[in-house]
Amino acid sequence: MKTETQGKLKYGSWGLIVGTAITMIVGFGWGGWSTAATTQKAAEAAVLTNQAEICIAQFMKQPDHKEKLKELGELDSWKRAEYIANGGWDRMPGQEGKPDYSVSRECAAGLERLMAK
């Protein structure tokens, strides 16, 4: 192999490697690319947020929601999610079985923000 051809292969290979690395850095950093795991986490967070909003709406739909909100405010912060779960507000319409505890926590956190207003 000629020295000229060797040089072209060497620099061409390095250009390909560096170009790929730069493309990946730009794509993942600023281009909006994401891995499957990152996308899955974002989807789970979005579902949790929506379920918490439904829980808050179900709580506020109760005729005595102002009294229940006062009761919730009087509880210690670590007991609020249990209060939500016991009330059944964290259960989604049509859901069978026990709801996810993280929905109860997020619902309680959202209701705390409502109490602060």
Side-chain angles (χ1 to χ4, degrees):
M1 183 180 313
K2 294 182 181 178
T3 6
E4 184 180 304
T5 306
Q6 266 184 329
K8 288 180 182 180
L9 284 174
K10 178 181 174 183
Y11 291 115
S13 299
W14 278 111
L16 180 66
I17 292 169
V18 171
T20 302
I22 290 172
T23 300
M24 290 176 68
I25 290 170
V26 169
F28 283 108
W30 298 292
W33 298 357
S34 64
T35 62
T38 304
T39 304
Q40 181 68 28
K41 287 178 188 176
E44 289 171 359
V47 168
L48 178 62
T49 300
N50 287 334
Q51 288 179 340
E53 290 175 3
I54 291 170
C55 174
I56 292 169
Q58 291 179 146
F59 183 92
M60 298 302 283
K61 190 170 66 172
Q62 298 296 316
D64 60 343
H65 71 275
K66 290 183 182 180
E67 292 82 25
K68 298 279 186 187
L69 204 57
K70 283 183 184 179
E71 287 177 21
L72 184 68
E74 293 169 358
L75 291 174
D76 293 325
S77 62
W78 63 87
K79 292 182 181 178
R80 291 179 181 169
E82 185 179 332
Y83 180 79
I84 297 295
N86 290 339
W89 299 293
D90 59 346
R91 184 168 283 117
M92 296 298 108
Q95 181 180 11
E96 297 288 328
K98 194 172 184 177
D100 189 6
Y101 183 71
S102 58
V103 175
S104 303
R105 283 193 326 243
E106 287 296 316
C107 183
L111 289 169
E112 286 175 27
R113 288 189 291 271
L114 283 176
M115 287 186 288
K117 289 184 178 181

